[in-house]
Amino acid sequence: MSVTVFQNARIVDPSRGLDEVGAILVEGKKIAAAGAAAHNQGTPEGAKVIDCGGKTIVPGLVDGRVFIGEPGAEHRETIASASRAAAAGGVTSLVMMPDTDPVIDDIALVEFVLRTARDTALVNVFPAAAITKGLEGREMTEFGLLREAGAVAFTDGRHSIANALVMRRALTYARDFGAVVAHETLDRDLGAGGVMNEGLFASWLGLPGMPREAETIPLERDLALARLTGGAYHAAKISTGLAAAAVARAKADGADVTAGVSINHLSLNENDVGEYRTFFKLSPPLRAEDDRLAMIEALRDGTIDIVVSSHDPQDVDTKRLPFADAADGAIGLETLLGAALRLHHNGDVPLIRLIEVLSTAPARLFGLPGGTLKPGAPADLAVLDLDEPWIVREADIRSRSKNTCFEGARLQGRVLRTLVAGRTVFEA
Amino acid sequence: MIDAAPPPLFPHRHLLGIRDLSPADIKSLLDRADAAVAISRRHEKKTSALRGRTQINLFYEASTRTQSSFELAGKRLGADVMNMSVASSSVKKGETLIDTAMTLNAMRPDILIIRHASAGAAALLAQKVGCSVVNAGDGTHEHPTQALLDALTIRRAKGRLAGLTVAICGDILHSRVARSNILLLNAMGAFVRVAAPSTLLPAGIRQMSVEVFPTMADALRGADVVMMLRLQRERMAGAFVPSVREYFRYFGLDAEKLKVAREDALVMHPGPMNRGVEIASEIADGPQSAIQEQVEMGVAVRMAVMEALLDPRRNPADGVAA
């Protein structure tokens, strides 16, 4: 069995609350030791030694919300191209959304994704299956069979379930299989075709506004149903202070509730839309600055459990349109870490908490291996230079689609090397 | 139009919105338009300012009034004018906008006039073509030539814009005319009031440098200008207001409501009017109405805008697409 030692590194492992100088010993596909202890163990004979020169090693990121175009829209992204982007971004596992064509609402699709990932992907790809058939918000999918086939969670992806009874039954039934129901909430009637955050800025641009309540009213409903059913509910992508407060109340009541936020809603606000820049058209829309600050606070105080890229590749055919007609979404696998590290560099969120919400917590939430550097865990890790500055350039993007919100952005901190199951899948 | 002392070079290649204009820009366009009014009143209406230039009108929304106004303006300046009426049924919302723009661009027009149902469509087009672009209305965003023609009408009637009180009444929420007018009138030092049912006010209206009034009586008291907006038919039946008769009762302009405005208050409407919905016929056709004047000023303002954008002193290389 091949043995590699990463020496002279700062080891940050939120799963053990560890942030110390040491080494990591990788044996085959697994971590044999990590931390100061590993450093003291010395180097086994025949081991390959890599001197990290004081750089940082973290468990590979686990991205809990990734949209991929395969099957159905391979021109936007394939499982292989998404995995290359992930590897470059230090993401070693991703949860793939069921919004494909056909929809991942059947075991055959789960098997297709797992097989394609095994044959073509550089990182671990875990499919999430639809809650309802065809993402139509009506009939439940086969939670048991899908789970056995390998679906790690249930979500209707970009779609929001309008019917409270459907949601109640999904939460109740999923509980029998220990499955998380992840939901992005949007009341389409109240949203009234809104395409950006409701407020002065949208009004001047002449764009229909999306009120915060279009997100929070169905969220409050879901949280009530989570209390009622005892089911595991994950608010997939909240964007407002109101939503964070609702989640905090449900948690205080003891409901089995978690929440996620996209890196975009931590990094950007409605002003970034500028002059109808469609790459900044997201769902939920980028909010006002006070909501962005509320997201950071909720991340710090534990109301928000995970940070996702919400990677959503869109091509020119869906983005080079008038703003209201353009598709929602932005890519993010390659910039997730760099953008998140801004919060570390400006002192908003401690590094170990950031790695927790990017890796350890999502792995735990979705029951995935990884997210830890404990001995015996898969050797999924990233070697980082926390300080190296770089500029995001379209030409460097590995994703098949280029719809990034960070074009030209100056980020600090980048991935030097990514390992998945002991194998180097990316090296800067 | 070009006298011995030529007007200053207009510092913009496109006219996408009033927001991009300085008070000096607005004044220079209005001054040019004043001169253009004289041309339109001559026996010989044709000039050679844009001779040899090509103007394309690209209208994704049907608009007889605005399109013919731009067409006539171009012809009076001597331009070759082509109308591309895009039947809204044959174009799936916005999908071919860029492709159409690129095709037209390849024909090397000098100026593109665009009307589109989506906010930002004119700005998008301006990024992709090599010629000047004039926004003739993009969704509920802006309609800059309408605001300019309204300002010209007011300035000619009142002698000034600064210090006047202008009440804009009706469907502010869906009105690009209201947005452009609020920007222009504020830039020129007028006081802007708005009156509308609260369901037809945009979010953040109170931060738009306007005074908001819940009733016409309050909004019109002492006003120098009353600007009525068109209410789209589909918005009258329960979605935003319950019925036409209820809307007219509270927000339709009639003689009774107009009484509280200044005696010489100017009544305006961008057209086309819904008589008996937002305005009573007796007012629309009455002595205070400037509605016909607005139409005349429309041609003059569009002549001024196109002449300013296609100023021959501008570096011709500016207009060449890569």
Side-chain angles (χ1 to χ4, degrees), chain B:
Chain B
M1 253 169 111
I2 295 178
D3 300 329
L9 188 64
F10 191 66
H12 305 276
R13 243 185 81 202
H14 309 295
L15 179 65
L16 304 178
I18 297 296
R19 182 176 289 283
D20 307 323
L21 303 183
S22 69
D25 295 339
I26 293 167
K27 184 177 176 301
S28 88
L29 286 176
L30 296 180
D31 292 346
R32 280 177 182 263
D34 259 330
V37 173
I39 294 171
S40 288
R41 289 179 179 178
R42 292 196 314 225
H43 182 69
E44 168 59 57
K45 298 181 173 59
K46 204 154 179 125
T47 74
S48 59
L50 297 191
R51 190 171 57 200
R53 302 295 195 102
T54 304
Q55 169 193 345
I56 299 181
N57 296 335
L58 180 59
F59 276 61
Y60 281 83
E61 282 183 334
S63 164
T64 316
R65 178 182 302 249
T66 308
Q67 184 167 340
S68 50
S69 182
F70 270 107
E71 183 175 353
L72 208 52
K75 286 180 171 164
R76 286 189 181 161
L77 293 170
D80 296 311
V81 185
M82 186 178 99
N83 288 311
M84 286 274 303
S85 290
V86 190
S88 46
S89 57
S90 70
V91 178
K92 210 185 146 203
K93 230 175 145 191
E95 247 171 7
T96 60
L97 175 62
I98 292 299
D99 286 340
T100 308
M102 296 315 288
T103 304
L104 293 177
N105 190 50
M107 299 177 190
R108 304 235 159 229
D110 297 283
I111 190 161
L112 258 173
I113 316 296
I114 180 172
R115 152 95 35 122
H116 197 277
S118 295
L124 182 62
L125 203 70
Q127 288 166 17
K128 305 291 173 192
V129 299
C131 65
S132 287
V133 173
V134 176
N135 180 6
D138 61 332
T140 56
H141 175 225
E142 280 222 47
H143 190 356
T145 57
Q146 179 71 43
L148 287 163
L149 77 87
D150 289 342
L152 183 64
T153 306
I154 297 170
R155 198 175 78 166
R156 287 171 69 96
K158 301 287 179 195
R160 65 196 166 104
L161 291 167
L164 296 179
T165 298
V166 181
I168 305 177
C169 310
D171 185 359
I172 312 284
L173 176 62
H174 300 101
S175 178
R176 53 194 171 212
V177 175
R179 283 171 180 74
S180 288
N181 264 311
I182 290 170
L183 289 167
L184 187 150
L185 292 166
N186 273 316
M188 301 310 280
F191 299 104
V192 183
R193 299 173 176 178
V194 301
S198 292
T199 47
L200 292 175
L201 286 173
I205 180 73
R206 282 176 177 77
Q207 295 148 267
M208 289 184 174
S209 305
V210 300
E211 258 191 293
V212 182
F213 293 93
T215 69
M216 292 280 280
D218 293 334
L220 265 52
R221 189 158 293 122
D224 297 287
V225 178
V226 180
M227 223 178 244
M228 300 307 297
L229 298 172
R230 176 180 166 77
L231 180 66
Q232 301 279 341
R233 292 251 164 220
E234 63 270 21
R235 289 170 187 143
M236 295 172 206
F240 291 90
V241 292
S243 68
V244 169
R245 70 172 185 183
E246 179 154 324
Y247 184 77
F248 186 74
R249 169 80 171 75
Y250 296 110
F251 292 95
L253 184 65
D254 55 19
E256 183 61 30
K257 294 196 189 82
L258 188 57
K259 257 196 237 160
V260 298
R262 282 177 60 102
E263 219 171 298
D264 61 349
L266 211 56
V267 174
M268 304 174 73
H269 191 294
M273 283 180 284
N274 295 303
R275 290 169 183 265
V277 177
E278 67 260 353
I279 191 162
S281 276
E282 50 170 347
I283 301 299
D285 305 330
Q288 287 171 263
S289 170
I291 295 171
Q292 296 307 315
E293 175 93 352
Q294 285 174 277
V295 177
E296 186 188 356
M297 293 309 120
V299 178
V301 152
R302 285 158 187 141
M303 288 169 76
V305 165
M306 287 194 285
E307 201 196 22
L309 293 176
L310 297 184
D311 196 316
R313 291 170 292 175
R314 197 183 297 282
N315 178 4
D318 284 356
V320 177

Side-chain angles (χ1 to χ4, degrees), chain A residues 197 212 239-241 264-272 286-297 346 348:
Chain A
N197 188 43
R212 294 168 177 81
S239 68
T240 70
N264 302 314
H265 292 90
L266 288 167
S267 311
L268 308 165
N269 67 29
E270 59 183 353
N271 296 309
D272 288 297
L286 290 172
R287 301 289 187 183
E289 178 64 5
D290 56 351
D291 278 315
R292 188 186 75 87
L293 295 175
M295 291 297 94
I296 293 172
E297 184 52 38
N346 66 20
D348 280 337

Side-chain angles (χ1 to χ4, degrees), chain A residues 200 203-206 276 321-322 325, chain B residues 19 118-120 140-141 179 203-204:
Chain A
L200 179 65
S203 292
W204 274 131
L205 288 173
Y276 305 101
L321 293 173
D325 303 329
Chain B
R19 182 176 289 283
S118 295
T140 56
H141 175 225
R179 283 171 180 74

